[in-house]
Every structure is written in structure tokens, then in C-alpha cells.
Amino acid sequence: MAIRQVRTIGDEILRKECKPVKEVTPRIKELIEDMFETMYETNGVGLAAPQVGVLKQLVVIDVEDGNQYVLINPEIIETEGSQTGYEGCLSVPGKSGIVTRPYKVKVRAYNENMEQFELEGEELLARAICHECDHLQGQLYVDIVEGELEDTESLMEEEEEQE
Ligand code: NI
């Protein structure tokens, strides 16, 4: 396993559309492991392959609900409700912004054994699924942010003061 370099905003690769994964080769398996390792190292809750420079439809998610989700060729098939809250991205370091997302989503994808499955997520998981699927289309949350981007650090300080 290895930690991969996370591409940041301004890098053209983040704006490209990703291609479907046809087969989970040993290389793809290694990529999945590396993506988890990179995500944990950088304290993220999700990571999409283009963020590590690979234009494939593959995302990993761990919102600390006890599951490690691997979504290959994901497709959001249902959405319900809405939620508005802060969102960040490892490709936009140090920043956060307000984004409205569905409250609940259902996604159809393949796992690392290329078995199709459906996953339903609410709240943070729904937000993560939408955010990561957007990456596969070359979209970043800054495209749909409501208002200005803010410094994550100062937001966290404000939160501490309120406690
Ligand atoms: Ni992101």
C-alpha cells in the first residue's frame, strides 16, 4: 500500500470525466487500497479516483459508520429530501463551504468483486456519495457552493467557542 498524491483544484485532471471500470485487475485492487490509505492519512471521509490522478469511475467512502464502501461505476438512482451544510474536499485543502444535497440517496454500483449492489445513505453518507460521484463527472463542490468558501480552521475555532 502507498499514500498517493492528492491533486488539488487547478489541476486539469479534476475536471475530466472518468471512464467506467471494466474489470477489477490487481492494479485496480492496489488503487483501492491506496485510496483508503490516502483518505485516512488526510482525514477524509471519501476519495474519488481522479483525485489521485486516475480517470476511472471509482470512489471509496468511510463516514465512520463501521463500513468501508467501495463504489465502482456508481449511479445515483434515487434521491429524497434535502440538507444544507458545510462540505469540504481533499482537493480544496483548508476550505469549507455550504452545499445543499439530497438528504437521502440510493446508489447502484459494483463492489471490488464486480458484484452489483445498491446502497442507501442518509445525512453525511448521502452527502459523501453525491460529492464523490460528482468528482467522476469532473465536478467539484465549489461549483455549487452557496456563498463564499471559508477557512475550515476558523470555522472549527468558532465551533469550539460555542461549546
Ligand atoms: Ni472531494
Side-chain angles (χ1 to χ4, degrees), residues 46 51 88-91 131-132 135 140-141:
Q51 294 183 273
C89 179
L90 296 175
S91 294
H131 177 114
E132 300 311 329
H135 272 299
L140 298 174
Y141 85 89

Side-chain angles (χ1 to χ4, degrees), residues 139-152:
Q139 288 162 6
L140 298 174
Y141 85 89
V142 299
D143 305 342
I144 52 168
V145 71
E146 295 159 32
E148 299 291 313
L149 291 184
E150 297 174 55
D151 290 326
T152 306

Side-chain angles (χ1 to χ4, degrees), residues 128-139:
I129 291 168
C130 294
H131 177 114
E132 300 311 329
C133 287
D134 279 356
H135 272 299
L136 305 181
Q137 310 289 333
Q139 288 162 6

Side-chain angles (χ1 to χ4, degrees), residues 3 7 14 21 23-24 26-27 29 45 47 69-70 80 111 113 120 124 130 137 146 155:
I3 290 168
R7 307 298 184 94
L14 293 172
V21 174
E23 189 192 354
V24 178
R27 237 180 121 149
K29 283 211 161 123
V45 296
L47 190 67
Y69 299 111
V70 176
E80 205 183 303
N111 66 16
N113 301 312
E120 276 187 8
L124 180 58
C130 294
Q137 310 289 333
E146 295 159 32
L155 285 172

Side-chain angles (χ1 to χ4, degrees), residues 6-72:
V6 176
R7 307 298 184 94
T8 52
I9 190 163
D11 190 321
E12 276 300 299
I13 206 152
L14 293 172
R15 294 309 193 168
K16 299 204 161 124
E17 269 189 49
C18 295
K19 296 212 163 69
V21 174
K22 288 186 191 132
E23 189 192 354
V24 178
T25 59
R27 237 180 121 149
I28 295 278
K29 283 211 161 123
E30 196 185 338
L31 172 64
I32 293 168
E33 284 181 13
D34 288 355
M35 283 172 63
F36 273 114
E37 197 178 350
T38 304
M39 181 182 77
Y40 292 132
E41 179 67 23
T42 47
N43 297 313
V45 296
L47 190 67
Q51 294 183 273
V52 293
V54 180
L55 288 171
K56 295 211 184 288
Q57 293 178 15
L58 166 60
V59 313
V60 300
I61 292 173
D62 186 343
V63 293
E64 294 176 354
D65 66 352
N67 294 296
Q68 290 184 312
Y69 299 111
V70 176
L71 306 182
I72 294 172

